[in-house]
Amino acid sequence: MQNKQDEKVKDRISRFESLCREKGIPVTVQRRVILQTLLQRQDHPTADQIFEDVRKQIPDISRTTVYRVLEALVGLAVIRRVHSMGNAVRYDGNIHRHHHLVCRECGRMADWESPELNNLPMPKRKALGFHIDDYTIQFMGICAECRRQLEHEG
Amino acid sequence: MQNKQDEKVKDRISRFESLCREKGIPVTVQRRVILQTLLQRQDHPTADQIFEDVRKQIPDISRTTVYRVLEALVGLAVIRRVHSMGNAVRYDGNIHRHHHLVCRECGRMADWESPELNNLPMPKRKALGFHIDDYTIQFMGICAECRRQLEHEG
DNA sequence: CTCCGTGCAAAAGGTTTGCACTGGT
DNA sequence: ACCAGTGCAAACCTTTTGCACGGAG
């Protein structure tokens, strides 16, 4: 069981290394250990939590490096941010069930309402200890303005 | 059209005032204007964006008040946070389509996989200018630990 | 050998807190 | 009059940036 998980992690890491070689990006100890640390956790840690973990293996690593490497890994699509908006809390005056279109680039959000999405099968109360009573879907993509900008850059 | 929207806002505000009276919570100018400001916007502003807006009506309002009032309104279920995790970015090593159970109280998250949720009808490319290519569902509720704690408090 | 990645320190957001004062009820 | 809400300033936490050094390709 544990071995199976370990193998998966090893596999992901070696695929990451191939990807780096392909793109001519240096494979550093820090990157390998940061990726490994995230992959070994079953939760969804913050950069700082990863920093604390990684420190056990690389005591002199800098917090800055952890932040930079994580964003680099996101850029390579090796890992994901859990939610792709900026780092400020956003508020919504609409309290009935509705969904959002979110731009990966700039965090811009638009509402998305669709009756067929409003009666999905919910995890039953008690799922994993959670009492779930509502849900909201984030549709992810690129907004018109960012698309235009990306095209202009090349 | 505009009048219809204005009426909705007025209605929400007067319902908010009733709720306050019911609970013996003071209705202040600041609260009314902050709520109104959020309701009049069609986007999902940050506390700071609301602060800038509200300033036009109450030039001497403090940023602190805006932060506090918004959280108070969330507590009363009059408005919502767009995503209910803490204020640090979280990373996920799992890059295939999957969903999350999120605790409203503490932000704890668990993965939720369900084949029947992995082929929902997506907004067609171009919806509102967005090119959507993926989605993820956030199921919202209370985790076991927070439930226990809330019961202990009364 | 050349760059990119790293570490450090400082700055830049975003948010919270303690305290004195003001304003709703 | 009482208590909760507000404003201010300072603290705090998370993230970003500039620069000099060191290690990977």
Side-chain angles (χ1 to χ4, degrees), chain A residues 14-144:
Chain A
S14 66
R15 272 198 269 162
F16 161 66
E17 291 174 3
S18 311
L19 182 63
C20 286
R21 264 176 250 123
E22 225 175 84
K23 302 215 171 194
I25 295 168
V27 183
T28 62
V29 189
Q30 288 87 336
R31 286 180 178 164
R32 214 182 296 105
V33 174
I34 289 169
L35 176 56
Q36 185 186 40
T37 301
L38 175 59
L39 294 178
Q40 280 170 347
R41 293 183 63 140
Q42 295 309 306
D43 57 349
H44 305 81
T46 64
D48 240 72
Q49 290 172 322
I50 294 176
F51 171 63
E52 290 303 335
D53 253 30
V54 169
R55 256 182 155 173
K56 292 170 197 156
Q57 289 179 69
I58 314 177
D60 289 340
I61 198 170
S62 134
R63 182 180 265 100
T64 312
T65 299
V66 176
Y67 278 92
R68 274 193 290 224
V69 167
L70 286 168
E71 283 309 302
L73 295 175
V74 170
L76 291 167
V78 173
I79 66 171
R80 282 193 194 169
R81 280 175 162 237
V82 169
H83 56 267
S84 5
M85 306 129 221
N87 36 12
V89 173
R90 288 156 175 277
Y91 294 91
D92 192 338
N94 181 350
I95 51 179
H96 60 258
R97 185 169 297 174
H98 68 287
H99 311 294
H100 292 126
L101 309 185
V102 183
C103 177
R104 281 203 177 78
E105 286 297 314
C106 67
R108 198 182 319 250
M109 293 181 40
D111 284 339
W112 187 254
E113 315 231 5
S114 160
E116 52 184 343
L117 295 174
N118 282 352
N119 284 294
L120 300 185
M122 303 239 275
K124 62 169 180 298
R125 302 178 76 78
K126 292 269 186 80
L128 297 171
F130 283 71
H131 268 23
I132 296 300
D133 56 63
D134 199 7
Y135 66 86
T136 171
I137 308 176
Q138 282 179 29
F139 290 98
M140 269 129 36
I142 311 286
C143 73

Side-chain angles (χ1 to χ4, degrees), chain B residues 75-89:
Chain B
L76 292 166
V78 172
I79 66 172
R80 281 193 195 170
R81 281 176 161 235
V82 169
H83 56 266
S84 4
M85 306 131 220
N87 37 11
V89 174

Side-chain angles (χ1 to χ4, degrees), chain B residues 97-109:
Chain B
R97 185 169 295 173
H98 68 286
H99 312 294
H100 292 127
L101 310 184
V102 183
C103 177
R104 282 204 175 76
E105 286 296 314
C106 67
R108 198 183 318 252
M109 292 181 41

